[in-house]
Amino acid sequence: MSDVVLLHAGIADARMWSPQLESFAADHSVHAFDLPGFGAEGLAPGRLSYVDWVADRTPPGSSVVGASFGGRIALELARERPELVGRLVLVAASLGG
């Protein structure tokens, strides 16, 4: 079973992926979590690297799907930690810097 990581948009939380969670679960191990500061995931004081936070939760070779802000994180993850990203799907992603 392959891993799929779903990264939500900046105006949403992991609930935006509810339909995909159900349909993908038959054939994939699906990981959809609230990014820090969104939904149920609190935001700790101090500096935060969303890329590092996601990298700690992404199995190597995952299919990473990101929408908007999540797409930006997915793109940066693919650039900084290519061993974690087997496939990359971007929806309305932006580039940092």
mmCIF file of all heavy atoms in Angstrom, residues 22-44:
data_model
loop_
_atom_site.group_PDB
_atom_site.id
_atom_site.type_symbol
_atom_site.label_atom_id
_atom_site.label_comp_id
_atom_site.label_asym_id
_atom_site.label_seq_id
_atom_site.Cartn_x
_atom_site.Cartn_y
_atom_site.Cartn_z
ATOM 1 N N GLU A 22 -11.717 9.044 2.272
ATOM 2 C CA GLU A 22 -12.576 7.870 2.134
ATOM 3 C C GLU A 22 -12.266 7.102 0.855
ATOM 4 O O GLU A 22 -12.120 5.882 0.871
ATOM 5 C CB GLU A 22 -14.048 8.306 2.146
ATOM 6 C CG GLU A 22 -15.008 7.156 2.199
ATOM 7 C CD GLU A 22 -16.439 7.636 2.346
ATOM 8 O OE1 GLU A 22 -16.683 8.543 3.166
ATOM 9 O OE2 GLU A 22 -17.298 7.100 1.628
ATOM 10 N N SER A 23 -12.136 7.805 -0.262
ATOM 11 C CA SER A 23 -11.937 7.106 -1.541
ATOM 12 C C SER A 23 -10.522 6.554 -1.694
ATOM 13 O O SER A 23 -10.338 5.499 -2.298
ATOM 14 C CB SER A 23 -12.286 8.022 -2.708
ATOM 15 O OG SER A 23 -11.396 9.113 -2.786
ATOM 16 N N PHE A 24 -9.503 7.216 -1.156
ATOM 17 C CA PHE A 24 -8.126 6.753 -1.298
ATOM 18 C C PHE A 24 -7.786 5.624 -0.335
ATOM 19 O O PHE A 24 -6.859 4.852 -0.578
ATOM 20 C CB PHE A 24 -7.136 7.886 -1.065
ATOM 21 C CG PHE A 24 -7.126 8.965 -2.107
ATOM 22 C CD1 PHE A 24 -6.324 10.076 -1.949
ATOM 23 C CD2 PHE A 24 -7.915 8.898 -3.249
ATOM 24 C CE1 PHE A 24 -6.282 11.089 -2.894
ATOM 25 C CE2 PHE A 24 -7.894 9.907 -4.201
ATOM 26 C CZ PHE A 24 -7.072 11.005 -4.028
ATOM 27 N N ALA A 25 -8.490 5.533 0.772
ATOM 28 C CA ALA A 25 -8.128 4.594 1.847
ATOM 29 C C ALA A 25 -8.146 3.132 1.424
ATOM 30 O O ALA A 25 -7.444 2.314 2.013
ATOM 31 C CB ALA A 25 -9.040 4.808 3.055
ATOM 32 N N ALA A 26 -8.900 2.787 0.408
ATOM 33 C CA ALA A 26 -8.966 1.393 -0.034
ATOM 34 C C ALA A 26 -7.637 0.920 -0.612
ATOM 35 O O ALA A 26 -7.277 -0.250 -0.467
ATOM 36 C CB ALA A 26 -10.076 1.232 -1.075
ATOM 37 N N ASP A 27 -6.896 1.816 -1.247
ATOM 38 C CA ASP A 27 -5.670 1.432 -1.936
ATOM 39 C C ASP A 27 -4.402 2.094 -1.407
ATOM 40 O O ASP A 27 -3.309 1.781 -1.874
ATOM 41 C CB ASP A 27 -5.783 1.775 -3.427
ATOM 42 C CG ASP A 27 -6.934 1.057 -4.092
ATOM 43 O OD1 ASP A 27 -7.101 -0.152 -3.839
ATOM 44 O OD2 ASP A 27 -7.661 1.702 -4.859
ATOM 45 N N HIS A 28 -4.541 3.030 -0.476
ATOM 46 C CA HIS A 28 -3.393 3.811 -0.009
ATOM 47 C C HIS A 28 -3.446 4.000 1.502
ATOM 48 O O HIS A 28 -4.518 3.959 2.099
ATOM 49 C CB HIS A 28 -3.384 5.195 -0.663
ATOM 50 C CG HIS A 28 -3.431 5.165 -2.154
ATOM 51 N ND1 HIS A 28 -2.337 4.864 -2.929
ATOM 52 C CD2 HIS A 28 -4.450 5.377 -3.024
ATOM 53 C CE1 HIS A 28 -2.672 4.902 -4.208
ATOM 54 N NE2 HIS A 28 -3.959 5.207 -4.295
ATOM 55 N N SER A 29 -2.297 4.237 2.061
ATOM 56 C CA SER A 29 -2.212 4.692 3.439
ATOM 57 C C SER A 29 -2.220 6.216 3.373
ATOM 58 O O SER A 29 -1.257 6.829 2.895
ATOM 59 C CB SER A 29 -0.921 4.178 4.082
ATOM 60 O OG SER A 29 -0.817 4.643 5.391
ATOM 61 N N VAL A 30 -3.309 6.836 3.803
ATOM 62 C CA VAL A 30 -3.511 8.268 3.605
ATOM 63 C C VAL A 30 -3.214 9.030 4.893
ATOM 64 O O VAL A 30 -3.686 8.669 5.965
ATOM 65 C CB VAL A 30 -4.955 8.562 3.147
ATOM 66 C CG1 VAL A 30 -5.127 10.031 2.833
ATOM 67 C CG2 VAL A 30 -5.313 7.722 1.931
ATOM 68 N N HIS A 31 -2.436 10.105 4.730
ATOM 69 C CA HIS A 31 -2.058 10.962 5.856
ATOM 70 C C HIS A 31 -2.551 12.373 5.561
ATOM 71 O O HIS A 31 -2.056 13.021 4.646
ATOM 72 C CB HIS A 31 -0.538 10.984 6.038
ATOM 73 C CG HIS A 31 0.084 9.633 6.043
ATOM 74 N ND1 HIS A 31 0.211 8.885 7.181
ATOM 75 C CD2 HIS A 31 0.585 8.876 5.025
ATOM 76 C CE1 HIS A 31 0.790 7.730 6.878
ATOM 77 N NE2 HIS A 31 1.026 7.708 5.578
ATOM 78 N N ALA A 32 -3.530 12.820 6.303
ATOM 79 C CA ALA A 32 -4.021 14.195 6.194
ATOM 80 C C ALA A 32 -4.084 14.738 7.608
ATOM 81 O O ALA A 32 -4.786 14.197 8.452
ATOM 82 C CB ALA A 32 -5.395 14.237 5.535
ATOM 83 N N PHE A 33 -3.327 15.761 7.873
ATOM 84 C CA PHE A 33 -3.274 16.308 9.220
ATOM 85 C C PHE A 33 -3.412 17.822 9.150
ATOM 86 O O PHE A 33 -3.166 18.434 8.109
ATOM 87 C CB PHE A 33 -1.966 15.927 9.914
ATOM 88 C CG PHE A 33 -0.781 15.829 9.000
ATOM 89 C CD1 PHE A 33 -0.164 16.962 8.518
ATOM 90 C CD2 PHE A 33 -0.313 14.587 8.606
ATOM 91 C CE1 PHE A 33 0.919 16.868 7.658
ATOM 92 C CE2 PHE A 33 0.769 14.487 7.746
ATOM 93 C CZ PHE A 33 1.389 15.621 7.275
ATOM 94 N N ASP A 34 -3.831 18.407 10.255
ATOM 95 C CA ASP A 34 -3.882 19.856 10.351
ATOM 96 C C ASP A 34 -2.452 20.372 10.501
ATOM 97 O O ASP A 34 -1.696 19.882 11.347
ATOM 98 C CB ASP A 34 -4.696 20.293 11.565
ATOM 99 C CG ASP A 34 -6.180 19.974 11.436
ATOM 100 O OD1 ASP A 34 -6.681 19.921 10.300
ATOM 101 O OD2 ASP A 34 -6.824 19.781 12.478
ATOM 102 N N LEU A 35 -2.088 21.334 9.682
ATOM 103 C CA LEU A 35 -0.791 21.979 9.835
ATOM 104 C C LEU A 35 -0.803 22.817 11.108
ATOM 105 O O LEU A 35 -1.878 23.235 11.572
ATOM 106 C CB LEU A 35 -0.510 22.861 8.620
ATOM 107 C CG LEU A 35 -0.333 22.117 7.296
ATOM 108 C CD1 LEU A 35 -0.382 23.098 6.122
ATOM 109 C CD2 LEU A 35 0.957 21.330 7.293
ATOM 110 N N PRO A 36 0.354 23.083 11.715
ATOM 111 C CA PRO A 36 0.392 23.887 12.934
ATOM 112 C C PRO A 36 -0.297 25.237 12.743
ATOM 113 O O PRO A 36 -0.080 25.931 11.746
ATOM 114 C CB PRO A 36 1.894 24.071 13.185
ATOM 115 C CG PRO A 36 2.521 22.880 12.548
ATOM 116 C CD PRO A 36 1.683 22.619 11.329
ATOM 117 N N GLY A 37 -1.180 25.555 13.688
ATOM 118 C CA GLY A 37 -1.923 26.804 13.634
ATOM 119 C C GLY A 37 -3.245 26.701 12.901
ATOM 120 O O GLY A 37 -3.954 27.689 12.758
ATOM 121 N N PHE A 38 -3.593 25.500 12.436
ATOM 122 C CA PHE A 38 -4.834 25.277 11.695
ATOM 123 C C PHE A 38 -5.619 24.155 12.363
ATOM 124 O O PHE A 38 -5.036 23.199 12.868
ATOM 125 C CB PHE A 38 -4.544 24.884 10.239
ATOM 126 C CG PHE A 38 -3.863 25.957 9.450
ATOM 127 C CD1 PHE A 38 -2.478 26.059 9.444
ATOM 128 C CD2 PHE A 38 -4.603 26.876 8.726
ATOM 129 C CE1 PHE A 38 -1.841 27.045 8.711
ATOM 130 C CE2 PHE A 38 -3.967 27.865 7.987
ATOM 131 C CZ PHE A 38 -2.582 27.951 7.979
ATOM 132 N N GLY A 39 -6.946 24.249 12.303
ATOM 133 C CA GLY A 39 -7.793 23.181 12.840
ATOM 134 C C GLY A 39 -7.457 22.863 14.286
ATOM 135 O O GLY A 39 -7.345 23.751 15.123
ATOM 136 N N ALA A 40 -7.252 21.593 14.574
ATOM 137 C CA ALA A 40 -6.996 21.138 15.943
ATOM 138 C C ALA A 40 -5.520 21.206 16.326
ATOM 139 O O ALA A 40 -5.171 20.928 17.476
ATOM 140 C CB ALA A 40 -7.496 19.697 16.098
ATOM 141 N N GLU A 41 -4.644 21.561 15.385
ATOM 142 C CA GLU A 41 -3.199 21.581 15.668
ATOM 143 C C GLU A 41 -2.789 22.962 16.158
ATOM 144 O O GLU A 41 -2.862 23.946 15.418
ATOM 145 C CB GLU A 41 -2.405 21.216 14.410
ATOM 146 C CG GLU A 41 -0.919 21.087 14.620
ATOM 147 C CD GLU A 41 -0.530 19.915 15.514
ATOM 148 O OE1 GLU A 41 -1.176 18.849 15.414
ATOM 149 O OE2 GLU A 41 0.403 20.078 16.307
ATOM 150 N N GLY A 42 -2.373 23.018 17.425
ATOM 151 C CA GLY A 42 -1.953 24.286 18.007
ATOM 152 C C GLY A 42 -0.665 24.795 17.395
ATOM 153 O O GLY A 42 0.041 24.083 16.684
ATOM 154 N N LEU A 43 -0.360 26.036 17.677
ATOM 155 C CA LEU A 43 0.855 26.663 17.189
ATOM 156 C C LEU A 43 1.732 26.986 18.389
ATOM 157 O O LEU A 43 1.371 27.819 19.221
ATOM 158 C CB LEU A 43 0.512 27.930 16.396
ATOM 159 C CG LEU A 43 1.641 28.648 15.697
ATOM 160 C CD1 LEU A 43 2.315 27.721 14.678
ATOM 161 C CD2 LEU A 43 1.130 29.890 14.997
ATOM 162 N N ALA A 44 2.857 26.315 18.500
ATOM 163 C CA ALA A 44 3.773 26.526 19.624
ATOM 164 C C ALA A 44 4.548 27.824 19.421
ATOM 165 O O ALA A 44 4.780 28.244 18.284
ATOM 166 C CB ALA A 44 4.734 25.351 19.736
#
